[in-house]
Amino acid sequence: MRFSKLVVSLSLLGSASLAFSAPANTLVNCIATPPMKLSPAITNDANDFNASSQQVYNRLVEFKAGTLEIEPSLAERWEISEDGLTYTFHLRKDVKFHTNKIFSPTRTLNADDVIFSFLRQADKNHPYHTVSAGTYFYFNWMNLHNILKNVEKVDDYTVKITLNQPNTPFITTLAMDFLSIYSKEYADQLLEKNTPELLDQQPIGTGPFVFQVYQTDHAVRYQANKDYWKGKADIERLIFSITPDAGTRYAKLKAGECDVIDFPNISDIAQMKNDPKVNLLEREGLNLAYIGLNTTKDALNNVKVRQALQHATDKKAIVDAVYQGGGSVATNPFPDAVLGYNANLQQYEFNLDKAKKLLTEAGYPDGFETEIWVQPVVRPSNPNPRRTAEIIQADWAKIGVKAKLVTHEWADFNKRTREGEFFAGTYGWTSRNGDPDNFLFPLLSKSNIPGTNYSRWTDDTFENLLNQAVQTQDRAERIKLYQQAVDIFQQNTPIIPLAHSINYVPLSKRVQGFTQSPFGYTAFYGVKLSE
């Protein structure tokens, strides 16, 4: 369900326009696109975590601000069994759920809420499993439908999670947004009233900001949670203002109408660095921009054709023209900060003669016709998908591969891609936990067909290596296994890794205490606004 269909009374806003006479102690984050969903379990778009979910919900564990280290959250502590199969979580006893106009909680968070939140996604017979047309993208992309054996209540404040097999990154997976904890009491009341979809439309959580209203395609508003278990946020109000044009976002930042902006124009970065009104944060992202190659389509199902397209793609030219100093050429399917990166991996240099030779050997001496699908939105991994596609289109034409550029509305683009309709296309991925499995499994495992393995490529040896690597605790052994898997990937080239981008966050000078996340999203608890 797209939330553009959600009907909201404008009277809740007091006006149909924000007019940016924002009250004191209000932070405004100007974002590029409206949230498709306000509920973390059912979204497949990281932008939704930015604009809504993470402000409302909490998880059992979370990443320390700005790092990949795990710290307690709704769980005060936990134990892991020696065999790595059982995780026992001891919950905080003072965590209050939010209140809204249709729900007032009668108890604090307990084990029932954790059980509900997991089983909604895991159990196909759960009364909420099909609510909001939930397909639980991240739950499946992270293979939890196979990893989880049982989630059970030990007592009101103790939960035991049992796995079918050891899973080394499991604890970091628990820190991801899609495993946020919902209120079972709220869900039960909505079910009784035959309005279960409100669980996802009028979110209730335990986080630092309470959802107030979503004005369709205009803004999402939050109020500080006075009962937040960590203490009330310094910011009183939080507004996500939907501002599609990057130039307009920057103008609003300079005018004081925005405090934080998303996805700045890469061409504006140099100016921002010297702008006295802007504090520009930057850090290398845990992301990958790539060209997906649908290996089930004619021509692209031939490995020599895919290798030819690698040789015919000038990655450096793309990084120079599109990223303009804000990215680096991808040599692996993940950045060099990720475990298992192989600095000695044999590369496909830009070489049109080699590309033509491979095409001839594959039976396409004169090339062929295909399509390049172009992402209609900017994402952290790629500041300009259209320009990227145009460069690749021109490169491939030099070896006789005539590629038509195709695009669709964002939701339709994603749906058609997952269903295998595309030929080649510009895509990106941002890891949500920093583990190599969070790149290789979603993007390349046969378990994610249909899903995020857009190439629909499969290889049993590659699959076995991923399975071994995710079960071993030995760091050196994990590195070895992932490097072997990456070598198989490189030989088969089901996708063409292009670049890793630097993530930029432009802030107004009045924003204090903001910590940039390695995952590319924005969290505002702990932030203060100076006068």
Side-chain angles (χ1 to χ4, degrees), residues 274-478:
N274 297 307
D275 192 327
K277 295 183 178 181
V278 175
N279 181 18
L280 183 67
L281 304 184
E282 62 180 85
R283 70 180 297 168
E284 294 182 355
L286 290 169
N287 58 48
L288 172 72
Y290 66 94
I291 294 295
L293 303 174
N294 189 338
T295 62
T296 67
K297 298 292 187 181
D298 286 345
L300 298 177
N301 60 8
N302 188 313
V303 67
K304 290 190 175 183
V305 169
R306 300 196 299 272
Q307 291 172 344
L309 295 179
Q310 277 260 42
H311 279 299
T313 303
D314 191 345
K315 299 179 185 180
K316 185 178 184 304
I318 291 170
V319 170
D320 289 345
V322 175
Y323 293 80
Q324 299 179 30
S328 59
V329 170
T331 60
N332 278 234
F334 41 69
D336 58 8
V338 175
L339 186 80
Y341 177 86
N342 187 350
N344 299 315
L345 193 66
Q346 186 173 351
Q347 298 298 310
Y348 292 87
E349 77 275 17
F350 179 57
N351 189 317
L352 296 178
D353 290 335
K354 283 187 177 181
K356 290 176 183 177
K357 183 175 183 295
L358 284 164
L359 277 187
T360 299
E361 291 175 2
Y364 296 92
D366 300 318
F368 56 91
E369 294 184 0
T370 189
E371 296 176 348
I372 298 176
W373 286 30
V374 184
Q375 279 179 302
V377 296
V378 171
R379 282 297 178 265
S381 59
N382 191 332
N384 194 332
R386 168 63 61 170
R387 181 68 183 126
T388 300
E390 289 170 348
I391 294 171
I392 293 169
Q393 180 187 44
D395 282 345
W396 290 2
K398 296 171 185 174
I399 61 169
V401 177
K402 300 175 182 178
K404 177 183 177 182
L405 301 189
V406 175
T407 194
H408 300 280
E409 185 272 332
W410 184 222
D412 196 36
F413 180 90
N414 284 329
K415 180 176 182 292
R416 290 186 177 199
T417 294
R418 289 193 300 271
E419 291 174 351
E421 185 177 330
F422 85 109
F423 288 78
T426 61
Y427 298 98
W429 182 259
T430 296
S431 172
R432 311 308 284 187
N433 68 9
D435 193 87
D437 187 67
N438 194 221
F439 283 93
L440 299 182
F441 185 83
L443 297 182
L444 298 164
S445 171
K446 64 183 179 183
S447 298
N448 279 312
I449 304 172
T452 44
N453 181 351
Y454 300 153
S455 69
R456 299 190 167 221
W457 170 73
T458 63
D459 183 280
D460 289 341
T461 303
F462 176 88
E463 205 75 28
N464 289 336
L465 287 167
L466 292 193
N467 191 46
Q468 292 176 56
V470 83
Q471 293 188 56
T472 182
Q473 296 284 341
D474 186 285
R475 179 183 174 86
E477 181 64 16
R478 286 196 88 201

Side-chain angles (χ1 to χ4, degrees), residues 99-389:
T99 297
N100 65 14
K101 292 187 176 182
I102 56 176
F103 174 70
S104 294
T106 64
R107 60 168 177 80
T108 57
L109 177 143
N110 66 23
D112 293 329
D113 304 304
V114 177
I115 303 299
F116 169 85
S117 302
F118 276 78
L119 293 189
R120 178 195 179 176
Q121 300 183 66
D123 182 2
K124 293 182 179 180
N125 296 315
H126 192 278
Y128 266 86
H129 188 75
T130 59
V131 170
S132 304
T135 51
Y136 310 109
F137 298 98
Y138 272 93
F139 188 89
N140 293 316
W141 294 347
M142 299 304 296
N143 201 28
L144 288 188
H145 56 294
N146 289 320
I147 293 170
L148 285 179
K149 181 177 182 179
N150 197 19
V151 183
E152 57 188 315
K153 177 179 179 179
V154 177
D155 58 44
D156 281 348
Y157 294 97
T158 309
V159 175
K160 184 169 72 174
I161 299 177
T162 307
L163 309 185
N164 284 311
Q165 62 185 35
N167 185 270
T168 300
F170 180 68
I171 197 70
T172 58
T173 298
L174 292 181
M176 296 171 68
D177 298 78
F178 76 97
L179 289 177
S180 296
I181 304 304
Y182 294 69
S183 166
K184 182 179 186 299
E185 183 183 19
Y186 182 41
D188 287 345
Q189 287 187 18
L190 293 175
L191 201 60
E192 288 180 6
K193 296 176 182 178
N194 201 31
T195 57
E197 67 281 353
L198 293 182
L199 183 75
D200 301 311
Q201 298 176 5
Q202 297 288 332
I204 286 290
T206 59
F209 295 97
V210 181
F211 173 77
Q212 299 294 294
V213 66
Y214 171 39
Q215 185 181 4
T216 305
D217 295 334
H218 187 71
V220 190
R221 289 192 172 216
Y222 295 88
Q223 189 83 18
N225 178 10
K226 63 181 178 60
D227 294 321
Y228 186 45
W229 62 271
K230 284 186 178 180
K232 184 175 175 292
D234 290 292
I235 298 168
E236 189 64 37
R237 284 162 292 273
L238 178 61
I239 299 173
F240 291 90
S241 174
I242 299 158
T243 312
D245 181 71
T248 303
R249 292 195 295 276
Y250 184 23
K252 286 185 174 184
L253 179 66
K254 291 191 289 186
E257 296 179 6
C258 298
D259 297 294
V260 183
I261 64 173
D262 292 354
F263 305 140
N265 273 329
I266 200 71
S267 58
D268 289 332
I269 295 301
Q271 181 181 350
M272 288 179 178
K273 288 180 178 179
N274 297 307
D275 192 327
K277 295 183 178 181
V278 175
N279 181 18
L280 183 67
L281 304 184
E282 62 180 85
R283 70 180 297 168
E284 294 182 355
L286 290 169
N287 58 48
L288 172 72
Y290 66 94
I291 294 295
L293 303 174
N294 189 338
T295 62
T296 67
K297 298 292 187 181
D298 286 345
L300 298 177
N301 60 8
N302 188 313
V303 67
K304 290 190 175 183
V305 169
R306 300 196 299 272
Q307 291 172 344
L309 295 179
Q310 277 260 42
H311 279 299
T313 303
D314 191 345
K315 299 179 185 180
K316 185 178 184 304
I318 291 170
V319 170
D320 289 345
V322 175
Y323 293 80
Q324 299 179 30
S328 59
V329 170
T331 60
N332 278 234
F334 41 69
D336 58 8
V338 175
L339 186 80
Y341 177 86
N342 187 350
N344 299 315
L345 193 66
Q346 186 173 351
Q347 298 298 310
Y348 292 87
E349 77 275 17
F350 179 57
N351 189 317
L352 296 178
D353 290 335
K354 283 187 177 181
K356 290 176 183 177
K357 183 175 183 295
L358 284 164
L359 277 187
T360 299
E361 291 175 2
Y364 296 92
D366 300 318
F368 56 91
E369 294 184 0
T370 189
E371 296 176 348
I372 298 176
W373 286 30
V374 184
Q375 279 179 302
V377 296
V378 171
R379 282 297 178 265
S381 59
N382 191 332
N384 194 332
R386 168 63 61 170
R387 181 68 183 126
T388 300

